[in-house]
Amino acid sequence: MAVYLGLDLSTQSLTALAIEVAGRQRRVAFEESLQFDAELPQFGTRHGVLPQSDPLTATSSPLMWAEALDRMMQRVARDSAIALADIQAVSGSGQQHGSVYFGSAAAKALASLDAGRPLEEQLRGVFVRPESPIWMDSSTSAECAEITAALGGPEALARLTGSRAFERFTGPQIRKFFKDLPAAYRSTERIHLVSSYAASLLAGHDAPVEPGDGSGMNLMDLARTRWAPEALAATAPDLAAKLPAIAPSWTVVGPLATYWRARHGFPAAKVVAWSGDNPCSLVGTGIVREGRLAISLGTSDTLFGLLGGVCFDPSGTGNVFGSPTGGYMALICCKNGSLARERIRDEHKLDWQGFARALAERPAGNGGGVLLPWFDPEITPTVLESGPRRYALDPADAAANVRAVVEAQMLSLALHSAWMGVRVTQIHATGGASQNPAILQVMADVFGADVCVVGGGNSAALGAALRAYHADELARGHDMPWEEVVAGFTEPWPASTVHPGPERVRVYAEMRKVYAACEAHALGRGPDPAPLLAAFARGVLRA
Ligand code: XUL
């Protein structure tokens, strides 16, 4: 029986998921998560993020990620029932955009790791920046503007890299580092993404960046899959020498380093290039052909789908990334995902069951009450000044606010994904909140499409394990079609399909315009939506 291990280094946790494959016989054999705040309290993170006085800055600890990896590999070796010798390949998924800065001691440290000592202890001196900027950071607006100007405007940048400049993207982050700390930048030997950093730890040497995650940097020429010299020049000097190579998603980086074999008893399994969490989720939710969309309700809420060819979002909100299946994927990311739902849940002293009951209590359209749930600075649409905005909504009304946060999240996803032009017939839902059928009902009604649950909530880790499987087959000379790779793992759960209700679909088609008007007003781009809200409320009440 062949075993493939997928690791997901996400914002709040590290998950390991192992699959067993013997022809048509396939199953998830191990699945476990390590929560950073609870299990590694010495690093002092909250929801996986280091405390900062500036609300626009968000960082985490690359040392903590290394310690988490060491502990998780120990758990896989010790607690799982899988025969370690059967592990053929290991791959992974990392939170996108975050970056890790190695100094001159890193390459030697990685090549000579001592199996008798914890990984974290041996990496202490290797980082030029002890804190890694992560995707939740929105402190680089000035750098975004500079890069955009140097490259001839947002559209030119999006045509080249798949996205206009985004604060969280790695290029603007690197530029800010170079401007703030030029000497530290100069002494940086290698800048990794979270994904290529973790793969380097497993392989014991620099691993490449793969195109799915590389396209979240504003540095990669998306159509040619290589660093774009003009984007590098607009970002920081001598950047080409500091970046890893770009290599296809299925690249075998090498065998697991001796450290992992001697310390935890792993075999010399293939380390396959890691990708970003969203590209991995694309595979882990079975979006391996066009016409399907996935919505992942995690720390961030993301919507993604495969694209027929390379394109870009003319409105500037969405992103086009490389797909780990080859080709391209489209994505939009809303930062106020699970933490916004939790905020409303906690404000009204509910548990998740109470949240679901409250959601079902109110009708579609919420009687005309709208919430813009921008508790943190938002990515889609860009909102740098955080704080929720309410329209015709009483902040003290628990049920109305629960309904409002879920409706807002779904309406925003629908509104801002229209540019993808995907005719959706089925949505694959994943992530923690996909276990809540009341939330899925709102999703189905807003999109007017069937929604079904896929995977066990760890779609990124599953996608990573499936990518390891695909790469191993390819390395053995078998180019397995992706439908066959994912078969048996990503089929919708039986009886999980939620169908849209025609009347509610009609309500949401109207509400979408109202929501867009509230958004425009809140962003200073449109008139007071009060008349529209009142007309909508009258219509909903009459129906
Ligand atoms: C995607 C994005 C987030 C992170 C963290 O562009 O910023 O989804 O990948 O999950």
Side-chain angles (χ1 to χ4, degrees), residues 9-11 94-98 134-136 168-169 213 216 276-279 298-302 319 321 331-335 379:
L9 188 44
S10 75
T11 316
Q95 50 168 301
Q96 297 199 251
H97 318 296
I134 61 163
W135 67 275
M136 294 169 108
R168 69 191 191 285
F169 274 41
D213 216 14
D277 54 356
N278 294 296
T299 305
S300 59
D301 287 345
T302 54
N319 311 120
F321 293 156
L331 171 130
I332 56 165
C333 173
C334 297
K335 185 160 154 193
I379 292 169

mmCIF file of all heavy atoms in Angstrom, residues 9-11 94-98 134-136 168-169 213 216 276-279 298-302 319 321 331-335 379, ligand 1:
data_model
loop_
_atom_site.group_PDB
_atom_site.id
_atom_site.type_symbol
_atom_site.label_atom_id
_atom_site.label_comp_id
_atom_site.label_asym_id
_atom_site.label_seq_id
_atom_site.Cartn_x
_atom_site.Cartn_y
_atom_site.Cartn_z
ATOM 1 N N LEU A 9 0.633 24.100 6.334
ATOM 2 C CA LEU A 9 1.117 25.101 7.279
ATOM 3 C C LEU A 9 0.263 26.349 7.082
ATOM 4 O O LEU A 9 0.554 27.188 6.223
ATOM 5 C CB LEU A 9 2.597 25.368 6.962
ATOM 6 C CG LEU A 9 3.440 26.240 7.892
ATOM 7 C CD1 LEU A 9 3.203 25.921 9.350
ATOM 8 C CD2 LEU A 9 4.901 26.038 7.563
ATOM 9 N N SER A 10 -0.814 26.436 7.849
ATOM 10 C CA SER A 10 -1.761 27.524 7.605
ATOM 11 C C SER A 10 -1.580 28.616 8.656
ATOM 12 O O SER A 10 -0.612 28.598 9.414
ATOM 13 C CB SER A 10 -3.187 26.985 7.582
ATOM 14 O OG SER A 10 -3.602 26.704 8.895
ATOM 15 N N THR A 11 -2.502 29.553 8.707
ATOM 16 C CA THR A 11 -2.326 30.702 9.596
ATOM 17 C C THR A 11 -2.317 30.290 11.060
ATOM 18 O O THR A 11 -1.472 30.716 11.832
ATOM 19 C CB THR A 11 -3.468 31.724 9.366
ATOM 20 O OG1 THR A 11 -3.666 31.884 7.968
ATOM 21 C CG2 THR A 11 -3.140 33.059 9.991
ATOM 22 N N GLY A 94 1.209 25.925 1.971
ATOM 23 C CA GLY A 94 1.516 26.978 2.938
ATOM 24 C C GLY A 94 0.547 28.130 2.779
ATOM 25 O O GLY A 94 0.048 28.382 1.677
ATOM 26 N N GLN A 95 0.279 28.841 3.874
ATOM 27 C CA GLN A 95 -0.486 30.090 3.747
ATOM 28 C C GLN A 95 0.257 30.913 2.700
ATOM 29 O O GLN A 95 1.489 30.968 2.686
ATOM 30 C CB GLN A 95 -0.569 30.807 5.085
ATOM 31 C CG GLN A 95 0.745 30.988 5.810
ATOM 32 C CD GLN A 95 0.627 31.955 6.989
ATOM 33 O OE1 GLN A 95 0.263 33.110 6.808
ATOM 34 N NE2 GLN A 95 0.937 31.486 8.171
ATOM 35 N N GLN A 96 -0.502 31.539 1.790
ATOM 36 C CA GLN A 96 0.142 32.209 0.665
ATOM 37 C C GLN A 96 0.731 33.569 1.060
ATOM 38 O O GLN A 96 0.358 34.135 2.082
ATOM 39 C CB GLN A 96 -0.862 32.404 -0.469
ATOM 40 C CG GLN A 96 -1.369 31.078 -1.035
ATOM 41 C CD GLN A 96 -1.973 31.241 -2.402
ATOM 42 O OE1 GLN A 96 -3.164 31.145 -2.556
ATOM 43 N NE2 GLN A 96 -1.146 31.493 -3.406
ATOM 44 N N HIS A 97 1.648 34.027 0.231
ATOM 45 C CA HIS A 97 2.210 35.397 0.264
ATOM 46 C C HIS A 97 3.251 35.644 1.355
ATOM 47 O O HIS A 97 4.100 36.516 1.198
ATOM 48 C CB HIS A 97 1.107 36.467 0.365
ATOM 49 C CG HIS A 97 -0.084 36.199 -0.494
ATOM 50 N ND1 HIS A 97 -0.003 36.174 -1.868
ATOM 51 C CD2 HIS A 97 -1.387 35.885 -0.194
ATOM 52 C CE1 HIS A 97 -1.209 35.892 -2.368
ATOM 53 N NE2 HIS A 97 -2.056 35.701 -1.373
ATOM 54 N N GLY A 98 3.193 34.950 2.492
ATOM 55 C CA GLY A 98 4.132 35.171 3.594
ATOM 56 C C GLY A 98 5.553 34.862 3.140
ATOM 57 O O GLY A 98 5.771 34.016 2.262
ATOM 58 N N ILE A 134 3.018 38.151 6.940
ATOM 59 C CA ILE A 134 2.082 37.149 6.405
ATOM 60 C C ILE A 134 0.962 37.819 5.612
ATOM 61 O O ILE A 134 0.885 39.050 5.553
ATOM 62 C CB ILE A 134 1.511 36.234 7.514
ATOM 63 C CG1 ILE A 134 0.722 37.053 8.542
ATOM 64 C CG2 ILE A 134 2.617 35.434 8.184
ATOM 65 C CD1 ILE A 134 -0.180 36.202 9.411
ATOM 66 N N TRP A 135 0.089 36.975 5.074
ATOM 67 C CA TRP A 135 -0.951 37.457 4.151
ATOM 68 C C TRP A 135 -1.919 38.446 4.781
ATOM 69 O O TRP A 135 -2.588 39.183 4.082
ATOM 70 C CB TRP A 135 -1.722 36.265 3.569
ATOM 71 C CG TRP A 135 -2.538 35.546 4.598
ATOM 72 C CD1 TRP A 135 -2.098 34.573 5.438
ATOM 73 C CD2 TRP A 135 -3.929 35.741 4.913
ATOM 74 N NE1 TRP A 135 -3.114 34.159 6.265
ATOM 75 C CE2 TRP A 135 -4.250 34.850 5.954
ATOM 76 C CE3 TRP A 135 -4.923 36.574 4.417
ATOM 77 C CZ2 TRP A 135 -5.529 34.780 6.513
ATOM 78 C CZ3 TRP A 135 -6.204 36.506 4.975
ATOM 79 C CH2 TRP A 135 -6.490 35.610 6.006
ATOM 80 N N MET A 136 -1.987 38.493 6.121
ATOM 81 C CA MET A 136 -2.941 39.404 6.756
ATOM 82 C C MET A 136 -2.386 40.825 6.862
ATOM 83 O O MET A 136 -3.068 41.736 7.330
ATOM 84 C CB MET A 136 -3.297 38.883 8.148
ATOM 85 C CG MET A 136 -4.047 37.573 8.083
ATOM 86 S SD MET A 136 -4.163 36.826 9.684
ATOM 87 C CE MET A 136 -5.883 37.087 10.014
ATOM 88 N N ARG A 168 -0.726 42.430 0.657
ATOM 89 C CA ARG A 168 -0.225 41.189 1.254
ATOM 90 C C ARG A 168 0.775 40.450 0.360
ATOM 91 O O ARG A 168 1.437 39.527 0.805
ATOM 92 C CB ARG A 168 -1.390 40.259 1.581
ATOM 93 C CG ARG A 168 -2.107 39.673 0.357
ATOM 94 C CD ARG A 168 -3.382 38.992 0.792
ATOM 95 N NE ARG A 168 -4.019 38.180 -0.222
ATOM 96 C CZ ARG A 168 -4.714 38.617 -1.262
ATOM 97 N NH1 ARG A 168 -4.814 39.915 -1.490
ATOM 98 N NH2 ARG A 168 -5.292 37.775 -2.098
ATOM 99 N N PHE A 169 0.836 40.831 -0.916
ATOM 100 C CA PHE A 169 1.684 40.096 -1.859
ATOM 101 C C PHE A 169 3.163 40.293 -1.512
ATOM 102 O O PHE A 169 3.577 41.317 -0.988
ATOM 103 C CB PHE A 169 1.391 40.540 -3.302
ATOM 104 C CG PHE A 169 0.237 39.787 -3.931
ATOM 105 C CD1 PHE A 169 -0.905 39.497 -3.205
ATOM 106 C CD2 PHE A 169 0.290 39.352 -5.248
ATOM 107 C CE1 PHE A 169 -1.971 38.801 -3.765
ATOM 108 C CE2 PHE A 169 -0.763 38.654 -5.825
ATOM 109 C CZ PHE A 169 -1.896 38.377 -5.090
ATOM 110 N N ASP A 213 1.965 29.203 -6.050
ATOM 111 C CA ASP A 213 2.266 30.124 -4.958
ATOM 112 C C ASP A 213 3.106 31.301 -5.461
ATOM 113 O O ASP A 213 2.985 32.414 -4.953
ATOM 114 C CB ASP A 213 3.012 29.376 -3.840
ATOM 115 C CG ASP A 213 2.619 29.890 -2.456
ATOM 116 O OD1 ASP A 213 1.608 30.607 -2.367
ATOM 117 O OD2 ASP A 213 3.311 29.566 -1.477
ATOM 118 N N GLY A 216 1.494 34.605 -6.343
ATOM 119 C CA GLY A 216 0.977 35.486 -5.293
ATOM 120 C C GLY A 216 2.023 36.475 -4.818
ATOM 121 O O GLY A 216 2.013 36.876 -3.656
ATOM 122 N N GLY A 276 0.780 26.842 -2.495
ATOM 123 C CA GLY A 276 -0.010 27.654 -1.568
ATOM 124 C C GLY A 276 -1.252 26.903 -1.117
ATOM 125 O O GLY A 276 -1.649 25.906 -1.725
ATOM 126 N N ASP A 277 -1.873 27.401 -0.051
ATOM 127 C CA ASP A 277 -3.041 26.682 0.470
ATOM 128 C C ASP A 277 -4.217 26.701 -0.506
ATOM 129 O O ASP A 277 -4.930 25.695 -0.644
ATOM 130 C CB ASP A 277 -3.460 27.182 1.856
ATOM 131 C CG ASP A 277 -3.693 28.692 1.932
ATOM 132 O OD1 ASP A 277 -3.470 29.401 0.939
ATOM 133 O OD2 ASP A 277 -4.098 29.150 3.012
ATOM 134 N N ASN A 278 -4.393 27.813 -1.221
ATOM 135 C CA ASN A 278 -5.524 27.834 -2.160
ATOM 136 C C ASN A 278 -5.289 26.941 -3.376
ATOM 137 O O ASN A 278 -6.173 26.160 -3.738
ATOM 138 C CB ASN A 278 -5.857 29.275 -2.551
ATOM 139 C CG ASN A 278 -6.368 30.049 -1.353
ATOM 140 O OD1 ASN A 278 -7.418 29.729 -0.813
ATOM 141 N ND2 ASN A 278 -5.601 31.024 -0.887
ATOM 142 N N PRO A 279 -4.117 27.001 -4.019
ATOM 143 C CA PRO A 279 -3.862 26.037 -5.104
ATOM 144 C C PRO A 279 -3.987 24.574 -4.628
ATOM 145 O O PRO A 279 -4.525 23.733 -5.348
ATOM 146 C CB PRO A 279 -2.425 26.359 -5.535
ATOM 147 C CG PRO A 279 -2.237 27.801 -5.187
ATOM 148 C CD PRO A 279 -3.032 28.017 -3.934
ATOM 149 N N GLY A 298 -12.505 29.429 5.748
ATOM 150 C CA GLY A 298 -11.472 29.232 6.772
ATOM 151 C C GLY A 298 -11.166 30.551 7.451
ATOM 152 O O GLY A 298 -12.048 31.400 7.567
ATOM 153 N N THR A 299 -9.909 30.740 7.895
ATOM 154 C CA THR A 299 -9.528 32.020 8.494
ATOM 155 C C THR A 299 -9.903 33.119 7.499
ATOM 156 O O THR A 299 -10.545 34.103 7.856
ATOM 157 C CB THR A 299 -8.012 32.061 8.771
ATOM 158 O OG1 THR A 299 -7.672 30.933 9.570
ATOM 159 C CG2 THR A 299 -7.633 33.324 9.509
ATOM 160 N N SER A 300 -9.494 32.915 6.227
ATOM 161 C CA SER A 300 -10.018 33.778 5.169
ATOM 162 C C SER A 300 -11.084 32.971 4.440
ATOM 163 O O SER A 300 -11.020 31.752 4.423
ATOM 164 C CB SER A 300 -8.910 34.167 4.184
ATOM 165 O OG SER A 300 -8.338 33.013 3.593
ATOM 166 N N ASP A 301 -12.055 33.650 3.850
ATOM 167 C CA ASP A 301 -12.989 32.964 2.956
ATOM 168 C C ASP A 301 -12.444 33.141 1.551
ATOM 169 O O ASP A 301 -12.167 34.284 1.139
ATOM 170 C CB ASP A 301 -14.384 33.590 3.030
ATOM 171 C CG ASP A 301 -15.095 33.245 4.337
ATOM 172 O OD1 ASP A 301 -14.644 32.317 5.035
ATOM 173 O OD2 ASP A 301 -16.097 33.918 4.655
ATOM 174 N N THR A 302 -12.270 32.049 0.829
ATOM 175 C CA THR A 302 -11.785 32.201 -0.537
ATOM 176 C C THR A 302 -12.725 31.489 -1.498
ATOM 177 O O THR A 302 -13.373 30.501 -1.135
ATOM 178 C CB THR A 302 -10.355 31.635 -0.722
ATOM 179 O OG1 THR A 302 -10.332 30.281 -0.275
ATOM 180 C CG2 THR A 302 -9.334 32.434 0.051
ATOM 181 N N ASN A 319 -7.589 37.668 -8.230
ATOM 182 C CA ASN A 319 -6.236 37.216 -8.568
ATOM 183 C C ASN A 319 -6.303 36.046 -9.531
ATOM 184 O O ASN A 319 -7.205 35.221 -9.445
ATOM 185 C CB ASN A 319 -5.504 36.716 -7.319
ATOM 186 C CG ASN A 319 -5.584 37.682 -6.157
ATOM 187 O OD1 ASN A 319 -6.100 37.353 -5.099
ATOM 188 N ND2 ASN A 319 -5.115 38.892 -6.364
ATOM 189 N N PHE A 321 -3.851 32.925 -10.474
ATOM 190 C CA PHE A 321 -2.659 32.190 -10.051
ATOM 191 C C PHE A 321 -2.410 31.047 -11.032
ATOM 192 O O PHE A 321 -3.325 30.627 -11.752
ATOM 193 C CB PHE A 321 -2.871 31.548 -8.668
ATOM 194 C CG PHE A 321 -3.015 32.507 -7.512
ATOM 195 C CD1 PHE A 321 -3.685 32.118 -6.354
ATOM 196 C CD2 PHE A 321 -2.468 33.776 -7.551
ATOM 197 C CE1 PHE A 321 -3.812 32.974 -5.271
ATOM 198 C CE2 PHE A 321 -2.586 34.654 -6.471
ATOM 199 C CZ PHE A 321 -3.267 34.247 -5.330
ATOM 200 N N LEU A 331 -9.000 33.425 -8.238
ATOM 201 C CA LEU A 331 -9.272 33.410 -6.799
ATOM 202 C C LEU A 331 -9.695 34.791 -6.316
ATOM 203 O O LEU A 331 -9.193 35.802 -6.805
ATOM 204 C CB LEU A 331 -7.997 32.991 -6.044
ATOM 205 C CG LEU A 331 -8.027 33.134 -4.518
ATOM 206 C CD1 LEU A 331 -7.572 31.846 -3.852
ATOM 207 C CD2 LEU A 331 -7.163 34.276 -4.025
ATOM 208 N N ILE A 332 -10.631 34.794 -5.379
ATOM 209 C CA ILE A 332 -10.801 36.022 -4.590
ATOM 210 C C ILE A 332 -10.724 35.635 -3.116
ATOM 211 O O ILE A 332 -11.108 34.529 -2.725
ATOM 212 C CB ILE A 332 -12.095 36.796 -4.883
ATOM 213 C CG1 ILE A 332 -13.317 35.926 -4.690
ATOM 214 C CG2 ILE A 332 -12.082 37.434 -6.248
ATOM 215 C CD1 ILE A 332 -14.584 36.745 -4.614
ATOM 216 N N CYS A 333 -10.210 36.546 -2.336
ATOM 217 C CA CYS A 333 -9.941 36.261 -0.929
ATOM 218 C C CYS A 333 -10.560 37.347 -0.061
ATOM 219 O O CYS A 333 -10.280 38.530 -0.249
ATOM 220 C CB CYS A 333 -8.420 36.234 -0.735
ATOM 221 S SG CYS A 333 -7.921 36.106 0.986
ATOM 222 N N CYS A 334 -11.427 36.948 0.862
ATOM 223 C CA CYS A 334 -11.991 37.903 1.826
ATOM 224 C C CYS A 334 -11.361 37.611 3.178
ATOM 225 O O CYS A 334 -11.465 36.493 3.688
ATOM 226 C CB CYS A 334 -13.509 37.753 1.912
ATOM 227 S SG CYS A 334 -14.339 38.137 0.370
ATOM 228 N N LYS A 335 -10.703 38.618 3.723
ATOM 229 C CA LYS A 335 -9.955 38.398 4.956
ATOM 230 C C LYS A 335 -10.867 38.189 6.160
ATOM 231 O O LYS A 335 -10.544 37.423 7.069
ATOM 232 C CB LYS A 335 -9.076 39.630 5.179
ATOM 233 C CG LYS A 335 -8.147 39.538 6.332
ATOM 234 C CD LYS A 335 -7.079 40.571 6.098
ATOM 235 C CE LYS A 335 -6.427 41.069 7.328
ATOM 236 N NZ LYS A 335 -5.645 42.270 7.040
ATOM 237 N N ILE A 379 -9.483 42.716 2.286
ATOM 238 C CA ILE A 379 -8.799 42.569 0.996
ATOM 239 C C ILE A 379 -9.797 42.770 -0.152
ATOM 240 O O ILE A 379 -9.511 43.428 -1.148
ATOM 241 C CB ILE A 379 -8.147 41.161 0.903
ATOM 242 C CG1 ILE A 379 -6.978 41.045 1.912
ATOM 243 C CG2 ILE A 379 -7.688 40.865 -0.513
ATOM 244 C CD1 ILE A 379 -6.448 39.632 2.097
HETATM 245 C C1 XUL B 1 -5.037 34.168 -0.656
HETATM 246 C C2 XUL B 1 -4.801 34.575 0.749
HETATM 247 C C3 XUL B 1 -5.199 33.663 1.865
HETATM 248 C C4 XUL B 1 -3.975 32.960 2.396
HETATM 249 C C5 XUL B 1 -4.218 32.304 3.744
HETATM 250 O O1 XUL B 1 -4.635 35.094 -1.590
HETATM 251 O O2 XUL B 1 -4.243 35.610 1.022
HETATM 252 O O3 XUL B 1 -6.188 32.772 1.480
HETATM 253 O O4 XUL B 1 -3.493 32.048 1.456
HETATM 254 O O5 XUL B 1 -5.038 31.268 3.726
#
